[in-house]
Amino acid sequence: MKAHDGMYIGGEWRPALTGETIAVVNPADESVIGHVPAGTAEDVDAAVRAARAAFPAWAATPPADRAARIAALRDVLVARKDEVAETVTAELGAPLQFSQTVHAGVPILVSGSYAELAASHPFEEKVGNSTVYSEPVGVVGAITPWNYPLHQIVAKVGPALAAGCTVVLKPAEDTPLTAQLFAEAVDEAGIPAGVFNLVTGIGAVAGQALAEHADVDLVSFTGSTAVGRQIGATAGAAIKRVALELGGKSANVILPSADLAKAVKVGVANVMGNSGQTCSAWTRMLVHTDQYDEAVELAADAAAKYGDRIGPLVNAKQQARVRGYIEKGVEQGARLVVGGTETPHEKGYFVAPTVFADVTPEMAIAQEEIFGPVVSLIRYEDEEDALRIANGTVYGLAGAVWAGDEAEAVAFARRMDTGQVDINGGRFNPLAPFGGYKQSGVGRELGAHGLSEYLQTKSLQF
């Protein structure tokens, strides 16, 4: 799509207040594919004022009517699915098939789920001699990352609109074209002016202004734990609500009774998807010592098959970051089995699929979020040792458990300090709550739990 040279505010594309722009780069070949405005605090203020003005009418709109508008938005995303996929591929670098299936397909599922929830959620219920009302929080400041550019937008905007909130979106500066396409879809779906607003810009300017704005009632942020900590502190000072979906270092625990070949194959695929740029990726593979050597061979074979099947990382900074972790892994004594720091292509921000063996739990590559196609295999002695290792990071976002008996896997998963666990390769569920324990965040996204983040309660006693 062709980039807009303005902001989507109050139902129209308005010129930015300055002439400064951000270049959008295709990470596969490093070419500039467009420019978008670098929004200022003044642009953010205009967007927040538009959202505040639109809030009373949207909050008073019957839930069934809000549901109809969200359903119309979903239908537009369906009609423009190919364009979405092509846009994500151009600015993120994801292979086109992955963009079609995941980057374009999942937001359609999620937006459809919120159309249904808006119509069916009990916004009013009787509790004893009280009537309890669920009311919209108000104006939402949504700050989204680049790794799943449309999904992350829909996961915030969908429930916010279903709840009756209005929104100002500040998308990641690396993937703003997808956000502009979403704004076009909002307009085409007939969502009233001011209910959704878009300001492009860098996080330190536009993002900070949005998080600090006095007329924003809730800040929903997905990104690094470091930035989430800053946003949480800013919101706390203003007694402002936050929803924070942050980092992860998820464990893939393969118990001795599991189908080892399947667990390793699926585990490697989980990390290689989106070039490893997934906060919930199972980047630590925990294997019993008796099966460890076999698992290393299986992981090496599986990862080698992804050499030409994964896209680049999003930018040069991310490429350098991942290479730095690979170098640190070698320095700290891990054994490099597949991959490494050599660039597999002359151009583009690529990193080869990488597998480390002989990783110990205290190493940096086992503790810190790498955000690249890197799998670390860690051996354990018994189930208690596996649990100690799985829970031994500051994160708790996701994970996986494999066992021959489902009950055995569930029993282990219930003891993991993490927000979401897949049992024997369980499928993605757009209605299941997603979010973390510990430093992986505050709050939940998706389904009814995600909707509740954008609601506040009022009780009337009779």
Side-chain angles (χ1 to χ4, degrees), residues 262-321:
K262 180 180 180 181
V264 171
K265 179 182 178 181
V266 175
V268 169
N270 174 273
V271 177
M272 297 305 153
N274 214 40
S275 304
Q277 300 170 127
T278 303
C279 54
S280 58
W282 312 332
T283 52
R284 296 181 295 147
M285 185 179 293
L286 279 56
V287 185
H288 189 272
T289 187
D290 293 343
Q291 299 174 313
Y292 187 79
D293 291 340
E294 182 182 357
V296 171
E297 292 183 8
L298 289 168
D301 291 343
K305 296 175 182 177
Y306 284 89
D308 295 323
R309 292 166 56 187
I310 64 172
L313 301 183
V314 70
N315 55 38
K317 180 180 178 181
Q318 187 64 20
Q319 182 191 49
R321 171 187 168 85

Side-chain angles (χ1 to χ4, degrees), residues 40-67:
T40 65
E42 289 76 17
D43 293 305
V44 169
D45 183 63
V48 173
R49 283 189 281 109
R52 177 58 64 191
F55 174 68
W58 183 247
T61 299
D65 293 345
R66 297 201 297 261

Side-chain angles (χ1 to χ4, degrees), residues 148 304 357 459:
Y148 289 90
S459 64

Side-chain angles (χ1 to χ4, degrees), residues 153-314:
I153 291 171
V154 171
K156 297 181 187 304
V157 176
L161 299 189
C165 297
T166 55
V167 181
V168 177
L169 169 69
K170 205 299 285 183
E173 48 264 41
D174 290 290
T175 53
L177 301 183
T178 301
Q180 290 189 340
L181 193 158
F182 179 78
E184 292 179 356
V186 165
D187 196 75
E188 190 174 339
I191 292 174
V195 170
F196 171 83
N197 306 273
L198 170 67
V199 176
T200 54
I202 65 172
V205 178
Q208 183 173 341
L210 185 58
E212 293 178 347
H213 201 289
D215 219 14
V216 169
D217 300 294
L218 181 150
V219 179
S220 181
F221 168 79
T222 297
S224 72
T225 296
V227 176
R229 189 176 292 115
Q230 296 173 4
I231 289 175
T234 297
I239 318 297
K240 181 182 300 187
R241 286 178 57 172
V242 294
L244 303 174
E245 198 268 280
L246 308 176
K249 193 68 183 176
S250 301
N252 180 18
V253 182
I254 305 174
L255 297 176
S257 63
D259 181 337
L260 182 65
K262 180 180 180 181
V264 171
K265 179 182 178 181
V266 175
V268 169
N270 174 273
V271 177
M272 297 305 153
N274 214 40
S275 304
Q277 300 170 127
T278 303
C279 54
S280 58
W282 312 332
T283 52
R284 296 181 295 147
M285 185 179 293
L286 279 56
V287 185
H288 189 272
T289 187
D290 293 343
Q291 299 174 313
Y292 187 79
D293 291 340
E294 182 182 357
V296 171
E297 292 183 8
L298 289 168
D301 291 343
K305 296 175 182 177
Y306 284 89
D308 295 323
R309 292 166 56 187
I310 64 172
L313 301 183
V314 70

Side-chain angles (χ1 to χ4, degrees), residues 308-384:
D308 295 323
R309 292 166 56 187
I310 64 172
L313 301 183
V314 70
N315 55 38
K317 180 180 178 181
Q318 187 64 20
Q319 182 191 49
R321 171 187 168 85
V322 174
R323 284 177 173 172
Y325 272 109
I326 294 173
E327 292 170 354
K328 189 175 291 185
V330 173
E331 291 169 2
Q332 293 184 347
R335 175 163 56 97
L336 185 62
V337 180
V338 171
T341 59
E342 292 187 8
T343 304
H345 301 282
E346 290 185 8
K347 276 196 171 185
Y349 308 124
F350 291 88
V351 169
T354 298
V355 172
F356 276 108
D358 302 335
V359 178
T360 57
E362 72 277 1
M363 290 180 180
I365 59 173
Q367 288 290 322
E368 300 173 20
E369 188 173 42
I370 299 173
F371 231 57
V374 181
V375 182
S376 296
L377 272 78
I378 305 172
R379 70 174 74 234
Y380 66 86
E381 299 296 329
D382 55 31
E383 191 170 301
E384 293 304 314

Side-chain angles (χ1 to χ4, degrees), residues 401-416:
V401 182
W402 300 79
D405 179 62
E406 185 176 287
E408 180 187 6
V410 170
F412 189 96
R414 290 295 304 273
R415 300 168 70 197
M416 294 173 70

